[in-house]
Every structure is written in structure tokens, then in C-alpha cells.
Amino acid sequence: MRLSALLERQRRELDKLRSAAAARSVVDLARGMLMEQLGCTPAEAQRQLVHLAAESGVSTTELAAQITHTEPPGEPPETGMPRVSLARATIETAASGNAVAKALLGEALGSLGAAAVAIWLTEPDGGLELVGEAGFGSHEASRWRRLHPDMPSLPQQVARDGLEIWWPAGPPAGDQRPLPGRWRDRAWAGLPLHDAGTALGAMVICWPEAATDFPVALRRQLTSIADVAAQALGIRLSQGALAADHEAAGVLALLDSLLDVYVFARAVRDPDGRVTDFRVDHVTDRFRDPAGRGPVELTGRHLLELYPDALTAGGLFDRCLSALETGEPQHSEAGTAQAASGTAAGIRIARLYDGVVIAWRGTGDADRLAALLQHAQRLGRVGGWEEDLRSGEVSWTEPTFALFGLPPGDPVPVADLPSHVVPDDIPAVRGFREALLHGRMESAAAFRLVRADDGSVRQIRAYAEPVTDQGGTMIAMRGVYQDVSADYHTGLAFAAAREQLADTEERAADEHRLAIRLQEAITPRSAAPDELVQAAGLDVAARYRPSGEGSLVSGDWYDTVLLPSKKVLVVVGDIAGHGLDAVTGMVAVRNSLRGLAITGASPATLLDWLNSAAAHFTDGVLGTAICGLYDPADRTLRWARAGHLPPILVRDGKAEQVPLRAGLVLGADPDASYAEELAALRLGDTLLLFTDGLIERRDEPIDDAIASLVRAASRPVGVIGEYADHLLDQAASNTGDDACLVAVRVR
């Protein structure tokens, strides 16, 4: 609501400024034409233009429009307008407010068709006092002699807002405010009265009948008449001939002698009596706002127009409103507008009549330095002290009392300091005092202080020095106490964290070394051919590639073993996870499978048993495996897999993926079952079994990665170990996972 009122007021003022600028433009053009035609100076052309306008009985702007053959700004001009200058002398010499009103109506307004005029001046409390009227009659004037600040009326709105109001056919629909004479359906005009930037009051003019509108030329003529009336009233006020505003002027004169920097702002209210703004009516000579504006630029302006930030919640406007409504003075550390030096330390607001006095209290260098020192002590949790050895007087700064938890005004001498510390630190405090008094040297001490208010213990560090006179006699001690509890407890926390981190790192290193040893014992990076397996007609090359030095070990594993049945067990697996848990899980699964394989069960049955063991006898072990049982008697291989990638068969230098039915991951479901495939192998065939860490890439699907391995494997095998090394070099995984590869060739 306040912003809307501000914008509406500024919009109307802007319209007035635009109209005035357009009028000046027309007058300047006419003056230039006269200079060219008459060959005269600008001043002579201006005098000639004014003389011609007076002779013609029209305004200067209207005459200028006729000379330049242009339309005057706004509406077409009305002819027969009286000149204000004809009435100026009569108005200015009027002895009273009524005389001013009668002169206005008789010398100027009467020729414009006006029937009545009334003049009110603003009183200190914001009310209006009728000082003159003509045309309304004495009976009606007695009813409108005094307008209370809270009474909604046309004169109050004009005086408070400082803006013109034009009603060609009475008040707008719904506006029930009373009017003098009760002539609601007539034409009305309300004009503010200003003299030298000071708001004086309001003038209301009434016509005997309604009109279609107020032409622009008529509005300008009436505004000029209001200016003449305001000047006349200003003269009478300065001479003490009128009653209104005497008290306010006297109070403001008194304030000027007491305060260097302040403004007086009167409340501006809407028709319902709500305060929408404050208008600056008085500014001291020394006041300058941050924009460098002084009394001339600020007087008559509105607070929200000057300082829009004042409308923020809890800002300058809210404080002014609170002071006005409650009468309680308002204090703040800083104001929206500040003194020219920019060093305003505080702002005080007090109610004065129907407005507020806003005083800025400036600070000097000493005050600013003292405030800076106070903030530094507070932020650093430091308190200063001094003790006079001759008088025994002890002086503490305010933060020192806060450190000790003591009320202000009860400082503790250094001799009594032991009674405020824990018993174990009393010797340190006594040594601190002895070094000052007897050693006469700068001293420091650290002790635990027991606060007086809550009994909490704080870590305090004290620094002090002796103070001597010109003869070298020690006369005082001074120093500081600093609360270093935060640093102390932080140091303890860091020390405990370092110890805990060292223990954790040591345990992690031990676990890592153990995991590596277990993994290297089970899955060496390059396994030598097993003689028993070779005797069964197979050449085997196993390779293990860790993800990197120092990386966590994984659960990749492989195994080839000749069973009592003369069949060869070939298996590759991958336990989920990394670290010691993955390695121990891998060891348990590998050893379980070896033990189960002794029974001579088929690969599918072995995986059934292994899955049940992983689900029931291990702690959450999940993994994949592919298990094959090779029979050298007929070169057949029975296959079963549990969630693992299928193997690759290389035959006659051409590699292709072996289709195998999928099975569920080990340990996921104790009731899972696995299918089995039978493959007939030929002499020279090579089987490749591997984990996903060999080929998996983040930037391509797993099928594309398998296809890349198939292309790399499509070549003559040759020496099985060299062939396995070739595949390990060609595999381009980028997941940072360990990799396991087993190459088995039939010979």
C-alpha cells in the first residue's frame, strides 16, 4: 500500500514536470523567434514576450504557442484568463487570512468563475486551522475552523500529500468525505501551499456548478494563484500575524540550537487516516545525506522517495511509524540516511506533533577506535584489565567480566585470582603474580578458570606487564585474559583423531598385506603348468592381473586340478567386493569346491552344493563361477555356470563364444539350480575362461567388450603361455578391477 501511494504520487509529479518542460520548450522556441525577428538579446526577448502576454490577457505559454503556430502543451488554451500579477499586490498586502481569501476570490478566482475559496494552515499536531475563507459564509466557516489530524477530508489529503486534486464534478464515486458548504456535485480543486520549500497547508476552491474538466491552462493559472497566496501567507507567518505553526517553528528553532544533524518529517496519510509516508518539512543546515543532499534538496520531499530502502521490515520507516503511534523513542545502530562523513553511529527517532524528529548521532575517531576495540575483544574472546598498586583499584573492560561470568562492577584483583581457578592451577597463578610484582617482568600463565555464573571450566591464557613511573617505581599492572578453550579442545580432538587414524591405518595395512598374501598364494600372477594336469592331455596357462599397486585386492580366482577319477576340474570365479572379506570369501568358496569335487559329482551338482554352502555357511558371500569337468578319455567337457561370463573356444585360429545356459549368482538363492552343457573338444582346441575385470569398460556394452576379446583371440595359439600373455596385453579394461584369465589347450 505504501509503495503504491509512493508510485502514484511520483507519477503525478512526473506528469507535472513533463508538462512544465513542454511549456518551457514552447516559450524557448518563441523567444528564439523574437530574437531573430527583433535582433535583440534573450533577456529583451523574454521581456517582450511577457509584455505581449500581459497586453493580450493570456499566459506566456499560450502566447508562445500562438507565435510558434503550435498547440500549447495539454489542452487548447482558454481565453480571457486574468493575470496573477494584477492580484499580487492586493494579496500580499492583506492584513489577515480572511483578507487574503477575499483578495483571491475578488481579484483572481472570481474572474475564473469560482464561487468560494478556503485556506487552511497546518498545525504542529498535523491538524488544519482555517485562517481565511470567502464565499462559504461565517456559519460554514465555524464548522470547518479546526480539522483534526484523523479527520478524513479534502484539505487534509492535499496538505498531507502535497499534491493537487481536481474534481470537475464532485468527489469520485464512493468518496463520502464531507465538503464545505455541502456542494458535492460542483467542481472542486485542492491546491497545496508551499513557501520556500516549506509546506504551509492547503487551499480549496469551489465553483457554482460542475464542469467537464479542468483545462491545462486553467490548472496552471490556479497553481500560480496558489503560489502567490502561499508567499503572502509566509510573509504573515514570519511577522507573527497568523496563529498556525508558531509552536512548531519555535520548537524546531530550539532543536536547531541543540542538535547539529536532524530532520523533522510530518506524517502523510491516506483518506482512511493510515500513514503512507513522511514528508520532510525541516532539515538542519549541517545535515547531508549519503548522496550529498542538503536542506534545499530534501525539504518538501517524501521519506520513501528519498530512501526506498527505508521500507524494509524493521527499517527506518517502521521505526518512524512506531515512534509516531506509540510515542516511544526509537533507537538504532545505523540509519538509512547518514551524515556527510558517513560515520553515523546511531539514529534516534522521537514523535513531535504529527511527525517525527530523526536525529543522527555522529562519532569521532576516538569513538570509532573504542568501538573497534570492543568488537576485537569480543571476537578474540579477550578481556583487558589494569590494577593500581597504590590505590588498589582494579579496572576491567566489559568483555573481561563476560569471560569470568561475573556481573559488571565487581572485578577480581590478581591476588584473589587463585580463588577462581581449579586447585591444580593455583601454583601457576601465584607464579604469574610473583613474576609481575617481584620480578618486574612481563609474565604469562595458562590456567583453568571456574566461571562464577555456571560453574563451567574454561582454559585461560593470561599476559601482563608491570607499569612504572618516571623514577622506575612500579605503580600498576596491566594485561589481558584470553579464553583459549576452543583451541585447547580442538587440539585435544585433533590429537585423539590422529591416534585413532594411525591405529586405523595400521590395521588397514595389516589387513591389506594379509589379503595380498592369501591372494598370491591362491592366484599367483603367472601359474606354472601342473604336471598332473599335463598328464591328462591339457596345457594350462593362468594369469592374474591386479588393478594396480596398493589397490584393494579382489575376489578373482581360478583352479585346475586332476581328480581321482582322472578327470580335470577347470574353474574360474569372482567373489563380489574387495579387501580381506572378498579374499577370505574366495578362499572359502575355492576350498569348498575342491572338497566337493572329490565326490565325482557333475559340474551342475557341484554348483548346486557350492551355492547352498555360500548361502548357509558364509557371511553374505556373493559371486560368479564357471565350472567345467574335462574327461580325457573322450575329450568331452561338461559345463555349468553361475552368473559368470561364458568361455571362448579357439579352433583352428578362429575364436567364438561358447553358448551356455545361464545360472543364478552363487549365494543369492539357496534353492537355485544350475543346468549343464556337454561339449566335444578336438586336438588343438583352446578354451579361454576369464573374469569380467579382463574386458569390462565403462564406455561400451559388455557384448562389445566380449567381441573385442574374440577378435584378439582369433589367431594361432602357439605356445600357450605366450598366447595368454598376448591376450592379457590386448584386453583394454578401464574399470580398475582385478582380472583373471585361464587358457586350456587340448593336446
Side-chain angles (χ1 to χ4, degrees):
M1 179 267 295
R2 294 164 185 160
L3 284 177
S4 297
L6 172 63
L7 292 175
E8 179 62 26
R9 185 170 59 249
Q10 290 180 330
R11 186 179 297 111
R12 285 182 284 178
E13 292 177 353
L14 182 59
D15 291 340
K16 290 176 60 178
L17 291 174
R18 286 172 175 168
S19 178
R24 286 195 302 271
S25 177
V26 173
V27 172
D28 290 342
L29 181 58
R31 188 169 56 243
M33 294 176 65
L34 289 177
M35 290 171 57
E36 181 181 359
Q37 294 175 4
L38 302 178
C40 59
T41 64
E44 293 173 343
Q46 179 66 27
R47 286 194 295 269
Q48 185 68 18
L49 189 62
V50 173
H51 175 71
L52 292 174
E55 291 292 331
S56 304
V58 297
S59 67
T60 304
T61 304
E62 293 168 342
L63 180 61
Q66 295 176 14
I67 294 174
T68 58
H69 302 288
T70 60
E71 288 291 333
E75 301 268 341
E78 297 283 343
T79 60
M81 292 296 180
R83 302 199 319 271
V84 178
S85 58
L86 297 177
R88 182 182 299 274
T90 304
I91 295 172
E92 290 182 349
T93 57
S96 65
N98 272 332
V100 171
K102 291 179 180 179
L104 285 172
L105 187 62
E107 300 289 342
L109 297 175
S111 61
L112 299 178
V117 62
I119 301 173
W120 287 268
L121 294 184
T122 304
E123 292 189 309
D125 64 350
L128 294 180
E129 179 76 14
L130 182 67
V131 296
E133 63 84 23
F136 286 110
S138 59
H139 176 71
E140 190 67 22
S142 65
R143 298 177 61 248
W144 289 83
R145 182 67 58 189
R146 159 75 178 174
L147 300 182
H148 191 272
D150 297 333
M151 175 183 175
S153 63
L154 175 62
Q156 281 284 18
Q157 182 179 354
V158 173
R160 286 169 175 168
D161 292 349
L163 298 177
E164 304 160 2
I165 293 180
W166 308 97
W167 290 346
D175 192 336
Q176 298 300 321
R177 288 179 292 179
L179 289 171
R182 303 179 183 178
W183 302 324
R184 301 192 63 83
D185 56 349
R186 299 185 178 186
W188 291 86
L191 303 173
L193 300 177
H194 297 281
D195 181 38
T198 301
L200 299 181
M203 180 171 69
V204 173
I205 307 168
C206 177
W207 278 261
E209 56 187 16
T212 57
D213 198 0
F214 285 94
V216 173
L218 177 59
R219 294 189 183 191
R220 291 177 185 154
Q221 190 77 8
L222 293 173
T223 302
S224 299
I225 293 173
D227 291 341
V228 172
Q231 294 173 13
L233 293 171
I235 294 174
R236 305 310 297 162
L237 286 171
S238 64
Q239 296 174 352
L242 295 175
D245 258 3
H246 288 325
E247 186 177 355
V251 172
L252 293 177
L254 176 62
L255 289 177
D256 285 349
S257 65
L258 297 176
L259 299 175
D260 290 336
V261 180
Y262 83 92
V263 300
F264 171 66
R266 198 182 302 273
V268 176
R269 303 176 185 270
D270 62 11
D272 296 328
R274 294 175 298 186
V275 177
T276 60
D277 208 335
F278 290 87
R279 186 182 63 239
V280 177
D281 282 355
H282 181 77
V283 183
T284 55
D285 293 336
R286 296 183 56 185
F287 179 83
R288 296 293 184 275
D289 73 357
R293 296 173 293 190
V296 176
E297 296 90 349
L298 300 178
T299 303
R301 304 282 297 277
H302 290 76
L303 195 67
L304 296 182
E305 177 186 347
L306 293 169
Y307 314 111
D309 289 344
L311 198 55
T312 57
L316 182 61
F317 184 89
D318 283 351
R319 292 182 179 273
C320 291
L321 188 62
S322 178
L324 179 67
E325 293 178 346
T326 66
E328 294 292 332
Q330 299 292 309
H331 305 274
S332 176
E333 289 298 323
T336 302
Q338 295 181 344
S341 61
T343 59
I347 181 172
R348 299 193 175 194
I349 306 170
R351 183 174 66 188
L352 178 63
Y353 305 119
D354 193 40
V356 291
V357 172
I358 310 172
W360 280 266
R361 180 173 56 87
T363 61
D365 291 339
D367 293 333
R368 290 198 304 274
L369 291 175
L372 179 62
L373 178 60
Q374 288 290 332
H375 290 304
Q377 292 186 50
R378 176 179 56 83
L379 293 173
R381 305 185 70 83
V382 174
W385 59 272
E386 186 175 70
E387 185 172 340
D388 192 323
L389 298 179
R390 295 169 297 183
S391 64
E393 181 181 0
V394 180
S395 301
W396 276 12
T397 62
E398 183 178 346
T400 311
F401 291 101
L403 290 181
F404 278 70
L406 292 171
D410 190 19
V412 178
V414 178
D416 296 341
L417 196 58
S419 62
H420 292 267
V421 304
V422 299
D424 292 344
D425 293 344
I426 292 178
V429 173
R430 289 177 175 169
F432 171 69
R433 182 171 181 271
E434 289 295 322
L436 284 172
L437 288 177
H438 303 293
R440 298 190 177 185
M441 63 178 65
E442 294 182 359
S443 180
F447 53 86
R448 287 165 290 178
L449 171 73
V450 181
R451 284 175 56 96
D453 53 356
D454 56 10
S456 61
V457 178
R458 310 297 295 176
Q459 296 290 330
I460 301 296
R461 186 173 294 278
Y463 304 90
E465 64 178 4
V467 181
T468 59
D469 58 14
Q470 294 181 351
T473 302
M474 185 173 174
I475 59 174
M477 301 179 292
R478 63 189 174 200
V480 295
Y481 298 122
Q482 182 179 16
D483 188 344
V484 295
S485 301
D487 294 339
Y488 177 78
H489 294 302
T490 300
L492 292 179
F494 274 134
R498 282 194 296 269
E499 293 181 2
Q500 185 177 5
L501 181 61
D503 292 342
T504 302
E505 289 178 345
E506 185 176 356
R507 287 196 302 271
D510 291 341
E511 291 180 359
H512 189 66
R513 285 191 295 269
L514 176 60
I516 289 177
R517 290 177 182 176
L518 285 173
Q519 192 169 49
E520 289 181 347
I522 297 172
T523 56
R525 298 192 181 187
S526 179
D530 186 275
E531 294 182 358
L532 295 177
V533 174
Q534 284 183 329
L538 296 177
D539 289 334
V540 179
R543 298 291 184 266
Y544 175 75
R545 182 181 66 192
S547 59
E549 295 295 333
S551 301
L552 290 175
V553 293
S554 68
D556 290 17
W557 59 285
Y558 60 86
D559 200 4
T560 55
V561 59
L562 182 64
L563 300 176
S565 61
K566 304 304 180 182
K567 296 179 182 179
V568 178
L569 177 68
V570 180
V571 61
V572 171
D574 185 1
I575 301 299
H578 292 80
L580 186 60
D581 291 341
V583 173
T584 54
M586 174 263 291
V587 172
V589 171
R590 178 179 182 272
N591 291 338
S592 297
L593 185 59
R594 275 199 167 195
L596 294 172
I598 296 297
T599 62
S602 66
T605 303
L606 291 177
L607 290 183
D608 286 341
W609 292 344
L610 190 61
N611 173 67
S612 181
H616 292 290
F617 304 121
T618 62
D619 187 13
V621 170
L622 293 175
T624 64
I626 183 167
C627 179
L629 198 60
Y630 175 71
D631 188 351
D634 56 3
R635 298 192 185 92
T636 58
L637 183 65
R638 293 184 176 275
W639 291 101
R641 66 175 179 138
H644 204 84
L645 294 176
I648 292 177
L649 173 64
V650 183
R651 177 173 289 171
D652 298 330
K654 182 179 179 181
E656 60 181 6
Q657 192 172 358
V658 178
L660 291 180
R661 282 182 285 180
L664 196 62
V665 173
L666 296 175
D669 181 5
D671 298 326
S673 59
Y674 299 90
E676 198 172 277
E677 301 282 350
L678 178 65
L681 301 181
R682 305 176 186 174
L683 292 176
D685 285 352
T686 301
L687 288 169
L688 302 178
L689 294 82
F690 52 91
T691 59
D692 54 5
L694 180 70
I695 61 170
E696 196 171 27
R697 295 183 59 83
R698 297 188 182 93
D699 54 352
E700 65 179 12
I702 190 64
D703 291 340
D704 295 344
I706 293 176
S708 298
L709 181 61
V710 169
R711 288 193 296 271
S714 296
R715 55 171 290 177
V717 174
V719 179
I720 190 67
E722 296 177 356
Y723 182 72
D725 292 335
H726 162 73
L727 295 179
L728 203 63
D729 293 338
Q730 293 295 314
S733 174
N734 62 3
T735 59
D737 197 6
D738 292 2
C740 183
L741 170 67
V742 177
V744 180
R745 183 175 61 184
V746 180
R747 58 178 178 83

